[in-house]
Amino acid sequence: MKGLLQFLIAKIILLALAYSVVTCYDPYPFKITVLCKDPKLVTSNDFYFSGLNTPGNTNNRLGSSVTNVDVRRIPGLNTLGVALSRFDFAPGGQIPPHIHPRASQLILVLEGTLLVGFVSSNDYNSTLFSKVLYPGDVFAFPVGLVQFHANIGKTNAVAIGAVGSQNPGVVPIGKTLFGSRPLIDTRLLVKAFALDVNTVRYIQRVFSSEENIVTPIVN
Amino acid sequence: MKGLLQFLIAKIILLALAYSVVTCYDPYPFKITVLCKDPKLVTSNDFYFSGLNTPGNTNNRLGSSVTNVDVRRIPGLNTLGVALSRFDFAPGGQIPPHIHPRASQLILVLEGTLLVGFVSSNDYNSTLFSKVLYPGDVFAFPVGLVQFHANIGKTNAVAIGAVGSQNPGVVPIGKTLFGSRPLIDTRLLVKAFALDVNTVRYIQRVFSSEENIVTPIVN
Amino acid sequence: MKGLLQFLIAKIILLALAYSVVTCYDPYPFKITVLCKDPKLVTSNDFYFSGLNTPGNTNNRLGSSVTNVDVRRIPGLNTLGVALSRFDFAPGGQIPPHIHPRASQLILVLEGTLLVGFVSSNDYNSTLFSKVLYPGDVFAFPVGLVQFHANIGKTNAVAIGAVGSQNPGVVPIGKTLFGSRPLIDTRLLVKAFALDVNTVRYIQRVFSSEENIVTPIVN
Amino acid sequence: MKGLLQFLIAKIILLALAYSVVTCYDPYPFKITVLCKDPKLVTSNDFYFSGLNTPGNTNNRLGSSVTNVDVRRIPGLNTLGVALSRFDFAPGGQIPPHIHPRASQLILVLEGTLLVGFVSSNDYNSTLFSKVLYPGDVFAFPVGLVQFHANIGKTNAVAIGAVGSQNPGVVPIGKTLFGSRPLIDTRLLVKAFALDVNTVRYIQRVFSSEENIVTPIVN
Amino acid sequence: MKGLLQFLIAKIILLALAYSVVTCYDPYPFKITVLCKDPKLVTSNDFYFSGLNTPGNTNNRLGSSVTNVDVRRIPGLNTLGVALSRFDFAPGGQIPPHIHPRASQLILVLEGTLLVGFVSSNDYNSTLFSKVLYPGDVFAFPVGLVQFHANIGKTNAVAIGAVGSQNPGVVPIGKTLFGSRPLIDTRLLVKAFALDVNTVRYIQRVFSSEENIVTPIVN
Amino acid sequence: MKGLLQFLIAKIILLALAYSVVTCYDPYPFKITVLCKDPKLVTSNDFYFSGLNTPGNTNNRLGSSVTNVDVRRIPGLNTLGVALSRFDFAPGGQIPPHIHPRASQLILVLEGTLLVGFVSSNDYNSTLFSKVLYPGDVFAFPVGLVQFHANIGKTNAVAIGAVGSQNPGVVPIGKTLFGSRPLIDTRLLVKAFALDVNTVRYIQRVFSSEENIVTPIVN
């Protein structure tokens, strides 16, 4: 008993100390539990991440990979309002239509040929703004609008993304509509997309078994 | 010559006067050209809109209607960060999956029975948060996430929406993906949604012929 | 002793665990102690409130009732920047002059006839903007300005309010000036409002005994 | 005709030139028509104001004077989010209860003895926070709450105010309620403040004839 | 053992209770550990600071003194977006070139004659905006630009500064470049400023031994 | 006369048309005169920039080059809160100590070896946070703090920078202090940096003749 007690007390003290630093602001719900450190304990490593030169694994149905460097990988980004990503595409690969709910984005192509685009909101006539990008080209995607990037060249493509939030979030349309946990009622989607039940069920099966589109962060 | 001159001058004066009021801030691209009035010319009507007691027309494929009261209908809302909407649903009607890119939303059911929900971002596991709402019920939808509202009762349904922006925008997923102007490349959508070409073309035909989901504002 | 110890430790662990979720940002002082949940523990109920179809009790001196649905009633509203209210008015009832310190407001009349208005700041000449509203009418009130709503019809009136903050606050002028706890010095108010001491003392007695104008939230 | 033509053209050119500079953002309605200058034309004088060492005229009913140095007096303050004021008080003078709708405030007493205070919002029980201030004392007033400053010493008092907005606005409660243009309906105020008609009419006469509480800016 | 145990538990409970109030938002990294109080425990003293009438000690190499009244001295300033400072200058004294990373500033001269200025960003041609200020003069300094204040009169000078943040921060250029802890690599500075190694080492010795330019806060 | 008249009228019409598009918000002074387009005239090119694959010219005293892609190069970035840069370094080259007044930054090394760092504000003890970066490494620099990047490898280095503003600005410390237009008073700098007059004059000569550190934008 005494051993357990000591263990518990030690653990509690650690927990309590962990909270002698302020917890951090993040301006959106479902927020990441990043704790601010005591300024005296902050080091250069809190502003550092390594490994974005490694290509992501594009061996999946979409032939693409997304590696995000946001506040979960660089704690010092908390409140700084900026993050980076690396995008890899196999030939024919794509990052399918998706939305960043909390930031606009710039993309810079390093290698390959990308067809990119976004669609303006319904108030502005659902206009498609699209462009074929080559190395050195930059394109901007406004916050909250549907965007996509597709490798239309014959080689791999690599691009860097920059966003104006340390926690931009990503809403991949396919996974969100057809692979949420639990699933959205099939009949609702049948009517929304003017499809028959079997087609919706088929798409739901496809997306239910797929992983998240962003490379998971293992802490 | 003199007639033309007079005409030109008159026109110029009008144009110049049109700009003797300050142009207004709107924090997003594709902004609405709402001009701020000279404070001396502002009247109560600049803060007023009439007619939200009139049901919208739900005689369309989706059986629903959205009437927005935002800065385009109440110029005085400029910079105030709030707007209202009225939603009407025929039995079985729905406001299909959509995103507001620039505001979170609250819905209040006045009549009928609605199934509503939103899906969290991929970073939070694409979780569906859903609820059946009855008159007097309120539900919150975070900014930039896919949401939907469907009438699952046997009568008409009416709801009021409130958003924290005078210009929240709306991105209806179906219309945006399959009915943009011009269309997104069919092959890209085939791969994104794991569908065959004919099915995508069929959905594109459905959405290309449909109107915007929000009641147009005629000024 | 050992029992107490165990009790204390259990309690401490609970307290510690309660803080293993981040505490939440609220952009203003006197903030509400709403704790953010661990995303895994969030449910649909965190975005839900029920009961706004029930009329408030207008059996008071002012003949009105305000029921707020803000972050205290819907925890998921935290950081979302929007809230709703229901206003009830007996014939002749009013929501007396007040200010929302942290949000602009839109009002939508559902039933009855309301005289509403706000006064611009002194820099803009203390101009009254006023309107009589009928069902379906909407009116906007800018943040931080004195506003009022009065039922001038012969029946009950009902209205919905929307604000661009999850915690807008309310400063009822009468209660604030003449019924604060403790009271503002009577002589200061005598001079400020050019009244005699007895009149100020009378008004102070009226407001000191009155309840808050918003329906209290019992958790 | 030619004379008129020349006049018109000259006027048009002036108007057009007036708009060859960008118009400025101001985050609130009733905004000030401050034009941003072409950066090449900006000089040190755009960031400069002179004369805050001159005492204001306290020869009025309230025995006080307010001189604001905001974006209207220093155009370069536009978007900078800060402004200053000088307050003068005769013995017994006061700046009566008022609200700044768009900024919190700090006051620094330079001379004399001030009783200051503010009342928290109704959600926090309308609590009075009050203090007697002497030279060198600083006190903070949160945005949108009713505040007051009264000279309770036997000599003149002088204070400096700082606010976190270039255009904070001021809502003097007395003038706003009882001296707006046009007046708020007397019966509404009778009920709101539990006063008789004659008393309200008397207060309305007092405030209708009084000037603004801030020293007017003559351009 | 039991005594220690009791002590530890008591301490833990205190720590835990300390966190039964919400921790506070501060929008920048290296944030100050200011805890928000339970609203019921807030008093007028949380909005109050005393002593800004006392001249600072200018007996240092630069002949100046800065006393900041920000959120560390007035906890109630948290989130209010405003702070004050007192600047003292001996004859010939200066507040050397520095930057406020998180707020624009206004300065008001109370006594003496100050030469002040700031330099626009490189995008705008590194233009110097400068002015000689006398008592009653006000000057504005935009956020993030290098500014300086020098007493060019024959007497002491006193000024008040106002900033639009409760935690503006200060980056004194000399101390930052030549006296950081640890030092920036000498060779890097040699190249950056086109100086020889000995001169850089000399400047590094000067700044390494100097105190911070702001009067330390002892709690 | 008639010729002049026609010329004037043509010019006026052009000017007037130039303002038939709304002018744009930019949240800081010295703002860029970017005009917003009529939504109907916006094209994909408004979101596009080409050429960031071209190395910048590092043939200068500092051996470095900065190419910014901000709102001046991509008009559609207006209000989107993000921008990109390309940095080139010859062996031994550096981007000397500088500050971004309006955004935090992330850097990603593509080629070479960089020593980077920033110094915390004086309130946090002027602490140097520094790191040697290799390809694929990312480092974060908080807004308004002095930062530097130096190529310490034997080959050229290339890096990409991302910032959370469409108009971050840059304040190169050397040029700002010693090469502003006009120059800061030599005696003030002598005292600020504990240098003799001749050394300051020498540094002023060096910086006065140098170009801006960012590659100029020619429109």
Side-chain angles (χ1 to χ4, degrees):
Chain A
M1 164 66 203
K2 217 175 73 176
L4 175 64
L5 199 61
Q6 286 178 311
F7 168 79
L8 281 174
I9 288 170
K11 195 175 165 68
I12 294 161
I13 290 172
L14 269 172
L15 275 166
L17 285 178
Y19 288 87
S20 67
V21 294
V22 280
T23 54
C24 295
Y25 162 69
D26 202 282
Y28 285 100
F30 296 105
K31 67 188 50 136
I32 304 156
T33 313
V34 177
L35 292 179
C36 293
K37 285 192 172 177
D38 180 334
K40 289 179 198 132
L41 302 178
V42 173
T43 73
S44 298
N45 286 329
D46 291 310
F47 298 91
Y48 171 71
F49 173 80
S50 178
L52 217 56
N53 55 336
T54 308
N57 176 11
T58 61
N59 189 14
N60 51 50
R61 185 177 70 80
L62 293 165
S64 69
S65 166
V66 176
T67 307
N68 290 325
V69 182
D70 60 20
V71 71
R72 282 168 290 198
R73 283 196 159 111
I74 299 187
L77 273 183
N78 196 44
T79 75
L80 295 194
V82 66
L84 274 176
S85 300
R86 176 189 171 122
F87 308 129
D88 288 282
F89 306 82
Q94 70 168 239
I95 301 177
H98 63 284
I99 278 178
H100 295 293
R102 297 186 289 269
S104 295
Q105 187 176 37
L106 273 175
I107 192 176
L108 163 66
V109 178
L110 295 182
E111 299 173 22
T113 307
L114 291 182
L115 170 70
V116 304
F118 69 85
V119 179
S120 73
S121 72
N122 205 228
D123 326 51
Y124 293 99
N125 210 29
S126 300
T127 307
L128 172 66
F129 292 88
S130 183
K131 197 87 183 174
V132 176
L133 303 183
Y134 303 96
D137 285 3
V138 177
F139 200 78
F141 306 88
V143 63
L145 302 187
V146 170
Q147 58 172 265
F148 57 84
H149 319 137
N151 183 355
I152 59 171
K154 303 199 165 162
T155 61
N156 286 340
V158 181
I160 299 299
V163 287
S165 163
Q166 72 274 4
N167 181 24
V170 59
V171 174
I173 300 300
K175 180 77 177 171
T176 300
L177 286 173
F178 299 104
S180 68
R181 300 171 179 94
L183 292 173
I184 295 176
D185 187 286
T186 304
R187 291 162 301 178
L188 190 146
L189 296 169
V190 162
K191 178 157 192 170
F193 293 95
L195 290 167
D196 62 275
V197 172
N198 286 337
T199 304
V200 169
R201 285 197 179 132
Y202 159 73
I203 313 178
Q204 286 180 322
R205 279 195 301 274
V206 171
F207 283 104
S208 291
S209 62
E210 285 193 351
E211 295 295 325
N212 289 351
I213 69 163
V214 293
T215 303
I217 296 174
V218 185
N219 286 317
Chain B
M1 165 66 203
K2 221 174 69 176
L4 176 63
L5 198 63
Q6 287 178 311
F7 168 78
L8 283 174
I9 290 170
K11 193 176 167 70
I12 295 161
I13 292 173
L14 268 174
L15 275 167
L17 284 180
Y19 289 89
S20 65
V21 293
V22 282
T23 54
C24 296
Y25 162 69
D26 200 282
Y28 285 99
F30 296 105
K31 68 191 48 139
I32 304 157
T33 314
V34 176
L35 293 179
C36 293
K37 284 192 174 177
D38 180 335
K40 288 178 198 136
L41 302 179
V42 173
T43 73
S44 297
N45 286 328
D46 292 309
F47 298 91
Y48 172 70
F49 172 79
S50 178
L52 217 56
N53 55 335
T54 309
N57 176 12
T58 61
N59 188 15
N60 50 50
R61 183 176 73 79
L62 293 163
S64 68
S65 165
V66 176
T67 307
N68 290 325
V69 181
D70 61 20
V71 70
R72 283 169 290 199
R73 284 197 159 110
I74 298 186
L77 273 181
N78 196 43
T79 77
L80 294 193
V82 66
L84 274 176
S85 299
R86 176 189 172 122
F87 309 129
D88 289 281
F89 307 80
Q94 69 169 240
I95 301 176
H98 64 283
I99 278 177
H100 295 292
R102 297 187 289 269
S104 295
Q105 187 175 37
L106 275 174
I107 192 175
L108 164 65
V109 177
L110 296 183
E111 300 172 21
T113 308
L114 291 182
L115 169 70
V116 305
F118 69 85
V119 179
S120 74
S121 72
N122 206 229
D123 326 52
Y124 293 100
N125 210 28
S126 300
T127 307
L128 172 66
F129 292 88
S130 183
K131 197 89 184 173
V132 175
L133 303 183
Y134 303 95
D137 286 4
V138 178
F139 201 79
F141 306 89
V143 62
L145 301 186
V146 170
Q147 59 173 265
F148 58 84
H149 320 137
N151 182 356
I152 58 170
K154 302 200 168 164
T155 61
N156 286 341
V158 181
I160 298 298
V163 286
S165 163
Q166 72 275 4
N167 181 25
V170 61
V171 173
I173 301 300
K175 180 77 179 171
T176 299
L177 286 174
F178 299 104
S180 68
R181 302 173 177 93
L183 291 174
I184 295 177
D185 187 285
T186 303
R187 291 161 302 177
L188 190 147
L189 296 170
V190 162
K191 179 157 191 169
F193 292 95
L195 290 166
D196 63 273
V197 172
N198 286 336
T199 304
V200 170
R201 285 200 178 130
Y202 159 72
I203 313 178
Q204 287 181 322
R205 278 195 301 274
V206 170
F207 282 104
S208 291
S209 62
E210 285 193 353
E211 295 296 324
N212 291 350
I213 70 163
V214 292
T215 303
I217 296 175
V218 185
N219 285 317
Chain C
M1 164 64 203
K2 219 175 71 176
L4 176 62
L5 199 62
Q6 286 179 311
F7 169 77
L8 282 174
I9 289 170
K11 194 176 166 68
I12 294 161
I13 291 172
L14 268 174
L15 274 166
L17 284 179
Y19 287 88
S20 66
V21 293
V22 280
T23 55
C24 296
Y25 162 69
D26 200 282
Y28 285 99
F30 296 106
K31 65 189 51 134
I32 303 155
T33 313
V34 176
L35 293 179
C36 293
K37 285 192 173 175
D38 180 334
K40 289 179 197 133
L41 302 178
V42 172
T43 72
S44 297
N45 286 329
D46 291 309
F47 298 91
Y48 171 71
F49 173 79
S50 177
L52 217 56
N53 56 333
T54 309
N57 176 11
T58 60
N59 188 15
N60 50 50
R61 185 177 69 80
L62 293 165
S64 67
S65 166
V66 176
T67 307
N68 289 326
V69 181
D70 61 19
V71 69
R72 281 169 292 197
R73 283 196 160 113
I74 299 186
L77 272 182
N78 196 43
T79 77
L80 294 195
V82 66
L84 274 177
S85 301
R86 177 190 170 121
F87 308 129
D88 289 281
F89 306 81
Q94 68 169 237
I95 300 175
H98 63 284
I99 278 178
H100 295 292
R102 296 186 291 269
S104 294
Q105 187 175 37
L106 274 174
I107 192 176
L108 163 65
V109 177
L110 295 183
E111 299 173 23
T113 307
L114 292 181
L115 170 69
V116 304
F118 68 87
V119 179
S120 73
S121 71
N122 207 228
D123 326 51
Y124 294 99
N125 210 30
S126 300
T127 307
L128 172 65
F129 293 87
S130 183
K131 197 89 185 173
V132 176
L133 303 183
Y134 303 95
D137 286 4
V138 177
F139 200 79
F141 306 88
V143 63
L145 302 187
V146 170
Q147 59 173 263
F148 58 83
H149 321 137
N151 183 356
I152 59 171
K154 304 200 165 163
T155 60
N156 286 341
V158 181
I160 299 298
V163 287
S165 162
Q166 72 275 6
N167 181 25
V170 60
V171 174
I173 301 300
K175 180 77 178 171
T176 299
L177 286 174
F178 300 104
S180 67
R181 302 173 176 93
L183 291 174
I184 295 176
D185 187 286
T186 303
R187 290 162 302 178
L188 190 145
L189 295 170
V190 162
K191 180 157 190 168
F193 293 94
L195 291 165
D196 63 275
V197 172
N198 286 336
T199 304
V200 170
R201 285 197 179 131
Y202 159 72
I203 313 179
Q204 288 181 320
R205 278 194 302 274
V206 171
F207 283 103
S208 292
S209 62
E210 285 193 351
E211 296 296 325
N212 290 351
I213 69 163
V214 292
T215 303
I217 296 175
V218 185
N219 287 318
Chain D
M1 164 67 204
K2 219 175 72 175
L4 176 62
L5 198 61
Q6 286 178 312
F7 168 78
L8 282 175
I9 289 170
K11 192 175 168 68
I12 295 163
I13 291 172
L14 269 172
L15 275 166
L17 284 180
Y19 288 87
S20 67
V21 293
V22 281
T23 55
C24 296
Y25 162 68
D26 201 283
Y28 284 98
F30 296 106
K31 67 188 51 134
I32 304 155
T33 314
V34 177
L35 293 179
C36 292
K37 283 192 175 178
D38 179 335
K40 289 180 197 132
L41 302 178
V42 172
T43 74
S44 297
N45 286 329
D46 291 310
F47 298 91
Y48 172 70
F49 173 79
S50 179
L52 217 56
N53 55 335
T54 309
N57 177 13
T58 61
N59 189 14
N60 51 50
R61 184 176 70 81
L62 294 164
S64 68
S65 165
V66 176
T67 307
N68 290 325
V69 182
D70 60 20
V71 69
R72 282 168 290 197
R73 283 196 161 113
I74 298 187
L77 273 182
N78 195 44
T79 76
L80 294 193
V82 66
L84 275 176
S85 300
R86 176 190 172 122
F87 309 128
D88 289 281
F89 308 80
Q94 68 169 239
I95 301 177
H98 64 283
I99 279 179
H100 296 291
R102 295 185 290 268
S104 294
Q105 187 176 36
L106 274 174
I107 191 174
L108 163 65
V109 177
L110 295 183
E111 300 172 23
T113 307
L114 292 182
L115 170 68
V116 305
F118 69 87
V119 179
S120 73
S121 71
N122 206 228
D123 326 50
Y124 294 99
N125 210 29
S126 300
T127 307
L128 172 66
F129 293 87
S130 182
K131 198 90 185 172
V132 176
L133 302 183
Y134 303 95
D137 286 4
V138 178
F139 200 78
F141 305 89
V143 62
L145 301 186
V146 169
Q147 58 173 266
F148 57 84
H149 321 138
N151 183 356
I152 59 172
K154 302 200 168 163
T155 61
N156 287 340
V158 182
I160 299 297
V163 287
S165 162
Q166 72 274 5
N167 181 26
V170 60
V171 174
I173 301 299
K175 180 76 178 171
T176 299
L177 286 174
F178 300 104
S180 68
R181 301 173 178 95
L183 292 172
I184 295 175
D185 186 285
T186 303
R187 291 162 300 177
L188 189 147
L189 295 169
V190 162
K191 179 158 193 170
F193 293 95
L195 290 166
D196 64 274
V197 172
N198 286 336
T199 304
V200 170
R201 285 199 177 131
Y202 159 72
I203 313 177
Q204 286 180 322
R205 277 194 303 274
V206 171
F207 282 104
S208 292
S209 62
E210 284 193 352
E211 294 297 324
N212 290 350
I213 69 163
V214 293
T215 304
I217 296 176
V218 184
N219 287 317
Chain E
M1 164 66 203
K2 220 175 70 176
L4 175 64
L5 199 62
Q6 286 179 312
F7 168 78
L8 281 174
I9 289 170
K11 193 174 167 69
I12 293 162
I13 291 172
L14 267 173
L15 275 166
L17 283 180
Y19 288 87
S20 67
V21 293
V22 281
T23 55
C24 295
Y25 162 69
D26 200 283
Y28 285 99
F30 296 107
K31 65 188 53 136
I32 304 155
T33 313
V34 176
L35 292 179
C36 291
K37 285 191 173 177
D38 179 334
K40 288 179 198 133
L41 302 177
V42 173
T43 74
S44 297
N45 286 329
D46 291 309
F47 298 91
Y48 170 71
F49 173 79
S50 177
L52 217 54
N53 55 334
T54 309
N57 177 10
T58 61
N59 188 15
N60 51 50
R61 185 176 70 79
L62 294 164
S64 68
S65 167
V66 176
T67 308
N68 290 325
V69 182
D70 59 20
V71 70
R72 283 169 290 199
R73 285 196 158 112
I74 298 186
L77 272 183
N78 195 43
T79 76
L80 294 195
V82 67
L84 273 176
S85 301
R86 177 190 171 120
F87 309 128
D88 288 281
F89 307 80
Q94 68 169 237
I95 300 176
H98 64 283
I99 278 179
H100 295 293
R102 297 185 290 269
S104 295
Q105 187 175 38
L106 273 175
I107 192 175
L108 163 66
V109 178
L110 294 182
E111 298 172 23
T113 308
L114 291 182
L115 171 69
V116 304
F118 69 86
V119 179
S120 74
S121 71
N122 206 230
D123 327 51
Y124 293 99
N125 211 29
S126 299
T127 306
L128 172 66
F129 292 88
S130 184
K131 198 89 185 174
V132 176
L133 303 183
Y134 304 95
D137 286 3
V138 177
F139 200 78
F141 305 89
V143 63
L145 301 186
V146 170
Q147 59 173 266
F148 58 83
H149 321 137
N151 182 356
I152 59 171
K154 303 200 165 161
T155 61
N156 286 341
V158 182
I160 299 297
V163 287
S165 165
Q166 72 274 6
N167 181 24
V170 60
V171 173
I173 301 298
K175 181 76 178 171
T176 300
L177 286 175
F178 300 105
S180 67
R181 302 173 178 94
L183 291 173
I184 294 176
D185 187 285
T186 304
R187 291 162 300 177
L188 189 147
L189 295 169
V190 162
K191 180 158 191 169
F193 292 95
L195 290 165
D196 62 275
V197 170
N198 287 334
T199 304
V200 170
R201 285 198 178 130
Y202 159 72
I203 313 178
Q204 287 181 322
R205 280 195 301 275
V206 171
F207 283 103
S208 292
S209 62
E210 285 193 353
E211 295 296 326
N212 290 351
I213 69 164
V214 292
T215 304
I217 296 174
V218 184
N219 286 318
Chain F
M1 164 66 204
K2 218 174 74 176
L4 176 63
L5 197 63
Q6 285 178 312
F7 168 78
L8 282 174
I9 289 171
K11 195 176 166 67
I12 295 161
I13 291 172
L14 269 173
L15 274 166
L17 284 179
Y19 287 87
S20 66
V21 293
V22 280
T23 55
C24 296
Y25 161 70
D26 200 283
Y28 285 99
F30 296 107
K31 68 189 49 137
I32 304 157
T33 314
V34 176
L35 293 179
C36 293
K37 284 191 173 177
D38 179 333
K40 288 181 199 132
L41 302 178
V42 173
T43 72
S44 297
N45 286 328
D46 292 308
F47 297 91
Y48 171 71
F49 173 79
S50 177
L52 216 57
N53 55 334
T54 309
N57 176 12
T58 61
N59 189 16
N60 51 51
R61 185 177 70 80
L62 293 164
S64 68
S65 167
V66 176
T67 307
N68 290 325
V69 181
D70 60 19
V71 70
R72 283 169 291 199
R73 284 196 159 114
I74 298 186
L77 273 181
N78 195 44
T79 76
L80 294 194
V82 67
L84 274 176
S85 300
R86 176 190 171 121
F87 308 129
D88 289 281
F89 307 80
Q94 68 168 238
I95 300 176
H98 64 283
I99 277 178
H100 295 292
R102 296 187 289 269
S104 295
Q105 187 175 36
L106 274 175
I107 191 175
L108 164 65
V109 178
L110 296 182
E111 300 173 22
T113 308
L114 291 182
L115 170 69
V116 305
F118 68 86
V119 179
S120 74
S121 72
N122 207 228
D123 327 50
Y124 294 98
N125 210 29
S126 300
T127 307
L128 173 65
F129 293 88
S130 183
K131 197 91 186 174
V132 176
L133 303 183
Y134 303 96
D137 286 4
V138 177
F139 201 77
F141 306 88
V143 63
L145 302 186
V146 170
Q147 59 173 265
F148 58 83
H149 321 137
N151 182 356
I152 60 171
K154 303 200 167 162
T155 60
N156 286 340
V158 182
I160 299 298
V163 287
S165 162
Q166 72 275 4
N167 180 27
V170 59
V171 173
I173 300 299
K175 180 78 178 170
T176 299
L177 285 174
F178 300 105
S180 68
R181 301 171 177 95
L183 292 172
I184 294 176
D185 187 285
T186 304
R187 292 162 300 177
L188 189 147
L189 295 170
V190 162
K191 180 158 191 168
F193 293 94
L195 290 166
D196 63 274
V197 171
N198 287 335
T199 303
V200 169
R201 284 198 178 133
Y202 159 72
I203 313 178
Q204 287 181 322
R205 278 196 302 275
V206 170
F207 282 104
S208 293
S209 62
E210 284 193 354
E211 296 295 326
N212 290 350
I213 69 162
V214 291
T215 303
I217 296 175
V218 184
N219 287 318

